[in-house]
Amino acid sequence: MSHVTSLSSSSSSSSSSSSFQRLLSSLLLLLIITITVQLGGRPNSSNNSFSKVFVDGFSIISSSSSSRRRHTFYSATSTENDRDYNLSSSSSSLPILLGTPATNFDNGKSPFEITTPIYYVNDKPHIGHAYTSTACDVIARFMRLSGREVFFLSGTDEHGQKVEQSAAKQGLDPQVFVDQVSQTFRDLLTLMNISNDEFIRTTSEEHKASVQHLWRVLVEKGYIYKGTYSGWYSVRDECFYNESELVDGKAPTGADVEWVAKEESYFFKLSEFEEPLLKMYSEHPEMVAPKSRLNEVVSFVKGGLKDLSVSRTSFKWGVPVPDDEDHVMYVWIDALTNYISALGYPNNDDNDNDVNGNFAKFWPAGAHIVGKDILRFHAVYWPAVLMAAGLPVPKRIFAHGWWTKDGQKISKSLGNVIDPVELVEKYGVDATRFFLMSEVPFGNDGDYSDSAMIFKCNANLANELGNLFHRVCTLAFKNCNAAIPTPGDLTEEDEEMLATVRGLREKCGGHIANQAIHQYANSMIMAVKDANKYIDVMAPWALKKTDPQRMSTVLYVLMEVLRYVAILYQPLIPDSANKLLDQLSVPKDERTFYHLDTCPLKPGSAINQPVIVLSRFEVPGENKEQEAGSVKQKEQQPKQKQQQPSGPIDINISCLDIRVGVITKAWEHPEAEKLFCEEIHVGDESGPRQIASGLRDHYKVEDLVGQRVLVLCNLKSRKLVGFASHGMVLCASANGKTEFVVPPSAAEIGERINVKGFEGDPASENQVGKKKILESVLPDLKTNQDGVVCYKGIPFMTTAGECVAQNKMPDAEVA
C-alpha cells in the first residue's frame, strides 16, 4: 500500500494540534468520498482499478487492485481474433452496490455466477438456445445494474459420440467440425445482444485439465471404479436409460436408443448419494425450481439410483481418462464440469488479479438456468459428483419449459423449427427478447406464433411505451423550448405517479431474484399503463392555454417516470431503453439503478428532436386503405357541432358517433346503488362529459379513473335518478358478467371508431332517438371468439387497431 499523505503528529504535539489534524484528516476523507460518489462509485474506466480508502490513525491510505479479468477458453485451433469476442460486458465496471432482494438461496449482495447450459454442437442454434441465453442475460444485466459482481457463463459442449458421427458424415476432423459449429453459437449470442463474461469450449486444454483433476479427486475418494456396462443408450441424448423408462422402444424424449452390450466402463457410485440428495432437497427445497420440477427430481431419486457409467471405449472424441487413455469420459461428466473449470478450478486462491481467483469468488453458482429436458443431469448427477469431490453444490437450478409453434411440437420433420436469426431479421433484437421473456411464465411451456409476437410487441412496446415516450417528448420539445420542463408544486396525483415508479426497482428486483422474469416484464408493462392513464387524465395538451405551469409540471412528472422506466427496462430491451434515455438526455454514466433516486432530470436541460424508437409491426392482412380512410375520417370529424345528414338515412353503425374516451373522474351515485357517476373526456373542446353507468356490481370506483372506454356520444342528455347523463359507455356482457369495451392504448382520445364498409357521418341526437337507430343497431353488436367487438362480424377499428372486451370476453352482447 502507498501512503497518499501522512498527518502523523509527534509525541510533543498539543491537544489543539491533534484536534486540528483529526479535522484535516476528516476533511480529506470527505473530499475523497465526495469525488468517488461523483464518479459513480465505479472503477476508473481507463485502468480498471478501484481505489479503496482507509483511515489508519491520522493517515489516509489508498490501495488499488485490478478488477477481475475476463477470459475465454478456446481449443488449440482458436485464433487471436477469437480472443476479442464479446468483451463489452459491464461486469468489469461495477456501480455502487444496491444489491437485489435476499432470498432463501441468495443474500442479494455476494458475487453471482449465472450460467446457461453449454450448448451441444451437433446442429445450428434454435429458439431454445436464444430463450435460455436471453433469460440469463436479463438476470445478469439486472444484477450488474444493481451493483452486483456477476460472472455470466455460456459456451459449447463439443465432445461425444454424436459429434464424432456428425463430423464423419461431413468428412471433417471433429475439431474442425466443432470449431465451425461453435462459432454459430457465439454468433447467436452476439446477435441477441447477450452480455456473457465468458464463452467456454470443452475442447480447450484448460477445461480438459480441470475435468481430469476432478476425475482424479473422485478416484482418490473411492467414488469411481472399473466394471462393464450393458444397457440402453441414446446417442442423441448422450444418456443411459433403464428399461422401465423406454416408451414404445424409444427414450422418453423420443430419441432412438441402442443396446450397449458389456462394454468396459468406469462407474461413478451414484447409488451412495440417494439419501444425501433427498436430504438436500428436503432441507433446501428452493434449490430446484419451479416446484413441479423439484417434485419430478425427488420422485426420480426415490425410485432408486444405480451407479452411473462415466466412460466409453467405443469412440475416441472426448476427454481421455487419466492413466487409461483407452477410455474417454462420459460426455455429461465432461460438460457439467465447465461450470467450475471456467472459474479456474481447481485453483481456489482468492486472488482478484487472476481468473483462478474466480472459483473462490463465484462458486457455488448463484443459478444454473437449463431446459427441463436436462434437469436430471443438473439436479441429480451434478450435485452428487460435487458432494463426492467435497465441493459446494449450486444454490439454484431453474428449469424452464419448451416452445411449441402454432400449437404444434417443433420438429424438423414438420418443418416448423423457429430460427432465432430469422426472428431478429424480421422483428429486431429487442422485440424478440421482449416477447420471449414476457409471453409466458418463466418455467412453463410456451407457444410461438407470428400473430402473438406482433400483438404483444405492438400493444406493450409500440402502442404503450413507444407512443407515450414520443407524445411526451414531442409536447415538451414544442412547448417547453426543447428542454426538460421546470415543474411547479406537485399534486397528490403527481406524487402517486412518482411513487409508483420509485417502488419499481425493489418490486422488479424481487422477481429477478426468484427468476420470475415474466413478472418483472409484467411489472414494467403495468407501470407504463399507469403512466398512460396519468397522461390521459391530466391531458397536458389541453393545459397549454389554460395553465402552462401545470402543463410543465405534468410533463416533468411524465419524463421523470419515463426515465425510471427506461433505466429499469435496460435488462430486457437494452438497445431500445438506451435510445429512450438518449431522448431524455440522460448522461451515459447516470443509467444504473443507483442513479434512479440520485440523479433526477435537470429542468432546462436540452432535449433532441423526438424520434420514434419503438414502431408498430404491420398485422398480416391489415387493410392499409381502411386505416388511411379511418385517419381521414378522424381528421374531418367535427369536435362540437355535428352536421346532420341530408335525405333518407340508411340505418347502420355509421349513424352512431362512438368515440375513444378516458374516465377522468368517478364517484358513486348517492341515491342509486347500482350507478356510477363519471366525467369522461371524449375530445370535446368544452371539456369532459358527465355520464352515468350501471356498473357498480362489476367494478370498484377506484378502478375507474384513467380507464379508456368507448362512448356513444350522439344520445340526448337524460337524467338518471337526478344525474344528467350525456352519452353511454359501451360494455360487453355474457353469462351474468359485464366488462368495458376498450380501444387500443395508442388510440387518440376523441377518435371515432370505424367499421369497414359502413363509413358515413353520424346522425343527430334527435334522429338517433326518433328513428330508433340505437335499437336497430344493438342486436348486431357482439364480440367474436377472440373478444373483438364487431358489427355484423366486422371489427370495430381505430387507427391503432381493434377494440376488444376488456378481458377478451367471447360471444358477448355489446350495449
Side-chain angles (χ1 to χ4, degrees):
M1 293 189 293
S2 61
H3 291 267
V4 174
T5 184
S6 177
L7 300 177
S8 300
S9 59
S10 66
S11 58
S12 61
S13 296
S14 66
S15 175
S16 61
S17 176
S18 297
S19 298
F20 173 77
Q21 290 167 344
R22 281 194 294 269
L23 176 60
L24 183 56
S25 175
S26 298
L27 289 172
L28 285 171
L29 176 58
L30 180 60
L31 176 62
I32 292 172
I33 292 173
T34 301
I35 293 170
T36 303
V37 171
Q38 288 177 343
L39 290 173
R42 294 182 299 276
N44 184 303
S45 58
S46 63
N47 59 19
N48 288 332
S49 65
F50 185 82
S51 291
K52 299 179 181 179
V53 181
F54 305 90
V55 178
D56 180 17
F58 297 122
S59 298
I60 298 178
I61 302 170
S62 173
S63 70
S64 67
S65 59
S66 299
S67 61
R68 178 179 56 79
R69 291 183 294 159
R70 301 175 60 231
H71 292 253
T72 303
F73 293 155
Y74 299 99
S75 65
T77 59
S78 62
T79 66
E80 284 301 315
N81 289 335
D82 287 336
R83 289 169 174 79
D84 293 330
Y85 171 72
N86 198 26
L87 296 179
S88 60
S89 164
S90 58
S91 271
S92 61
S93 183
L94 296 173
I96 290 175
L97 177 60
L98 297 176
T100 50
T103 64
N104 290 338
F105 54 90
D106 176 53
N107 64 16
K109 302 287 185 182
S110 300
F112 191 91
E113 183 190 25
I114 184 167
T115 69
T116 71
I118 49 174
Y119 302 126
Y120 203 45
V121 292
N122 65 307
D123 206 348
K124 69 177 186 178
H126 55 66
I127 191 67
H129 302 118
Y131 185 55
T132 312
S133 299
T134 303
C136 290
D137 186 63
V138 169
I139 295 169
R141 286 177 183 269
F142 196 100
M143 290 192 169
R144 291 192 196 109
L145 286 166
S146 301
R148 296 189 66 174
E149 192 167 3
V150 174
F151 188 91
F152 173 14
L153 176 65
S154 190
T156 43
D157 177 6
E158 303 180 9
H159 289 131
Q161 186 176 5
K162 184 164 47 175
V163 171
E164 188 175 72
Q165 291 175 351
S166 297
K169 286 180 181 179
Q170 295 190 27
L172 295 174
D173 177 81
Q175 186 65 62
V176 174
F177 174 77
V178 298
D179 286 346
Q180 292 176 356
V181 182
S182 178
Q183 183 62 47
T184 66
F185 284 92
R186 294 163 62 190
D187 291 343
L188 174 69
L189 299 185
T190 301
L191 177 72
M192 294 297 297
N193 200 3
I194 305 302
S195 63
N196 56 300
D197 297 288
E198 197 99 32
F199 188 93
I200 187 169
R201 298 181 60 184
T202 58
T203 50
S204 73
E205 294 304 317
E206 296 92 339
H207 173 75
K208 292 177 185 177
S210 181
V211 175
Q212 289 177 327
H213 177 87
L214 179 63
W215 180 280
R216 289 189 178 97
V217 170
L218 296 174
V219 170
E220 289 170 4
K221 291 180 177 290
Y223 288 109
I224 286 181
Y225 63 92
K226 185 182 282 190
T228 57
Y229 175 80
S230 298
W232 294 105
Y233 182 74
S234 165
V235 176
R236 193 187 83 178
D237 295 346
E238 299 286 3
C239 183
F240 299 100
Y241 290 105
N242 296 325
E243 184 83 34
S244 60
E245 293 181 277
L246 302 185
V247 179
D248 297 328
K250 294 191 174 185
T253 61
D256 291 330
V257 293
E258 61 184 36
W259 180 258
V260 177
K262 293 188 177 181
E263 178 181 324
E264 186 179 75
S265 175
Y266 284 94
F267 287 84
F268 171 68
K269 294 181 179 178
L270 182 65
S271 58
E272 294 191 13
F273 292 91
E274 183 174 327
E275 289 305 316
L277 286 169
L278 291 173
K279 182 180 179 182
M280 178 185 69
Y281 304 142
S282 176
E283 293 178 353
H284 302 283
E286 71 282 351
M287 179 184 176
V288 180
K291 187 176 180 180
S292 59
R293 304 298 175 209
L294 172 64
N295 295 338
E296 293 173 10
V297 169
V298 171
S299 178
F300 174 76
V301 175
K302 283 185 176 180
L305 297 178
K306 296 182 179 179
D307 289 351
L308 183 67
S309 173
V310 290
S311 75
R312 301 293 302 276
T313 58
S314 56
F315 62 93
K316 295 299 181 184
W317 186 242
V319 178
V321 169
D323 305 318
D324 193 346
E325 294 199 355
D326 289 336
H327 289 253
V328 294
M329 294 185 198
Y330 174 44
V331 68
W332 278 101
I333 294 293
D334 168 15
L336 290 165
T337 307
N338 91 91
Y339 300 128
I340 55 177
S341 68
L343 296 174
Y345 174 82
N347 192 311
N348 197 32
D349 295 334
D350 190 4
N351 180 359
D352 199 40
N353 291 317
D354 194 279
V355 68
N356 293 331
N358 286 336
F359 183 64
K361 181 184 291 184
F362 290 104
W363 192 260
H368 292 325
I369 308 296
V370 301
K372 64 181 181 180
D373 54 323
I374 55 174
L375 178 61
R376 178 195 303 180
F377 305 102
H378 288 81
V380 180
Y381 301 165
W382 181 226
V385 167
L386 291 168
M387 288 178 182
L391 297 173
V393 298
K395 297 176 184 177
R396 179 84 153 179
I397 302 165
F398 193 102
H400 63 70
W402 291 340
W403 284 90
T404 56
K405 184 178 182 183
D406 298 316
Q408 290 185 306
K409 183 178 179 180
I410 294 174
S411 71
K412 288 184 180 179
S413 60
L414 292 175
N416 65 347
V417 174
I418 305 171
D419 185 346
V421 176
E422 292 179 3
L423 285 186
V424 170
E425 289 175 349
K426 188 173 184 179
Y427 299 110
V429 176
D430 282 350
T432 302
R433 288 170 62 104
F434 178 79
F435 177 81
L436 293 177
M437 295 297 100
S438 64
E439 177 66 4
V440 296
F442 193 61
N444 292 4
D445 291 340
D447 185 63
Y448 173 84
S449 68
D450 285 327
S451 60
M453 165 77 91
I454 291 170
F455 179 83
K456 184 77 176 176
C457 293
N458 279 356
N460 299 143
L461 291 184
N463 293 352
E464 293 169 357
L465 178 60
N467 184 57
L468 177 64
F469 237 101
H470 194 254
R471 289 167 71 194
V472 170
C473 290
T474 299
L475 283 167
F477 188 84
K478 290 182 177 180
N479 301 303
C480 302
N481 299 317
I484 302 294
T486 300
D489 294 335
L490 300 183
T491 66
E492 183 178 345
E493 292 83 0
D494 301 337
E495 295 285 8
E496 287 178 358
M497 185 67 254
L498 290 168
T500 297
V501 292
R502 285 171 181 158
L504 201 54
R505 181 188 70 83
E506 188 72 13
K507 184 177 183 180
C508 293
H511 298 322
I512 289 295
N514 288 284
Q515 297 82 53
I517 303 173
H518 62 291
Q519 292 184 22
Y520 155 54
N522 190 59
S523 294
M524 298 304 301
I525 290 168
M526 295 309 298
V528 174
K529 287 181 183 292
D530 287 341
N532 274 293
K533 288 182 180 180
Y534 174 84
I535 192 175
D536 287 342
V537 173
M538 296 303 162
W541 53 86
L543 293 170
K544 179 181 178 181
K545 294 181 180 179
T546 60
D547 192 346
Q549 178 59 70
R550 178 64 187 151
M551 176 198 70
S552 294
T553 301
V554 169
L555 290 177
Y556 182 85
V557 169
L558 282 164
M559 295 177 88
E560 182 65 0
V561 165
L562 291 173
R563 182 183 69 87
Y564 269 84
V565 166
I567 287 175
L568 285 162
Y569 246 133
Q570 288 177 100
L572 199 56
I573 49 172
D575 185 55
S576 298
N578 278 283
K579 287 179 180 177
L580 295 174
L581 290 167
D582 289 342
Q583 298 227 342
L584 295 173
S585 297
V586 175
K588 302 288 186 184
D589 59 354
E590 293 183 6
R591 299 183 179 186
T592 75
F593 294 167
Y594 168 75
H595 298 104
L596 285 169
D597 297 325
T598 60
C599 296
L601 294 172
K602 298 174 183 177
S605 298
I607 59 174
N608 297 319
Q609 174 77 46
V611 296
I612 295 173
V613 174
L614 296 161
S615 303
R616 291 183 76 247
F617 298 111
E618 183 178 343
V619 178
E622 193 170 51
N623 191 310
K624 294 184 178 180
E625 292 182 5
Q626 174 187 343
E627 187 175 71
S630 180
V631 171
K632 182 178 180 181
Q633 185 179 41
K634 179 172 79 82
E635 291 172 347
Q636 293 176 346
Q637 127 185 358
K639 289 292 183 181
Q640 285 182 298
K641 190 174 180 180
Q642 298 170 351
Q643 297 178 352
Q644 292 190 15
S646 58
I649 297 177
D650 183 12
I651 296 177
N652 57 53
I653 191 66
S654 69
C655 298
L656 300 181
D657 183 14
I658 301 173
R659 297 189 221 162
V660 174
V662 60
I663 301 173
T664 58
K665 187 177 180 181
W667 63 98
E668 295 175 349
H669 194 297
E671 299 178 11
E673 63 180 17
K674 293 187 178 296
L675 290 182
F676 285 126
C677 300
E678 302 141 357
E679 289 186 2
I680 305 180
H681 180 38
V682 292
D684 293 332
E685 291 182 3
S686 57
R689 293 182 176 220
Q690 286 194 337
I691 297 177
S693 303
L695 296 171
R696 281 171 67 174
D697 289 342
H698 306 283
Y699 288 91
K700 296 178 181 179
V701 68
E702 57 265 26
D703 296 333
L704 299 185
V705 175
Q707 175 65 53
R708 285 179 168 236
V709 292
L710 293 189
V711 179
L712 176 55
C713 294
N714 54 342
L715 291 179
K716 274 192 171 183
S717 179
R718 61 178 181 143
K719 286 193 174 183
L720 296 176
V721 196
F723 180 79
S725 179
H726 191 190
M728 182 175 79
V729 177
L730 293 190
C731 293
S733 300
N735 302 318
K737 296 182 179 180
T738 297
E739 61 191 45
F740 288 120
V741 171
V742 297
S745 60
E748 294 287 342
I749 302 301
E751 176 180 353
R752 188 179 172 210
I753 67 99
N754 171 269
V755 178
K756 184 180 180 182
F758 295 95
E759 292 80 14
D761 293 324
S764 69
E765 293 177 357
N766 283 334
Q767 288 172 321
V768 170
K770 286 181 179 180
K771 296 184 177 293
K772 300 187 181 300
I773 293 175
L774 183 59
E775 291 84 344
S776 299
V777 171
L778 283 180
D780 292 314
L781 294 183
K782 299 185 187 309
T783 62
N784 63 17
Q785 287 293 322
D786 298 321
V788 177
V789 179
C790 299
Y791 173 70
K792 295 187 176 181
I794 303 172
F796 273 28
M797 296 295 298
T798 69
T799 55
E802 298 171 334
C803 302
V804 298
Q806 189 172 24
N807 295 306
K808 306 292 182 64
M809 183 186 291
D811 302 320
E813 295 181 354
V814 176

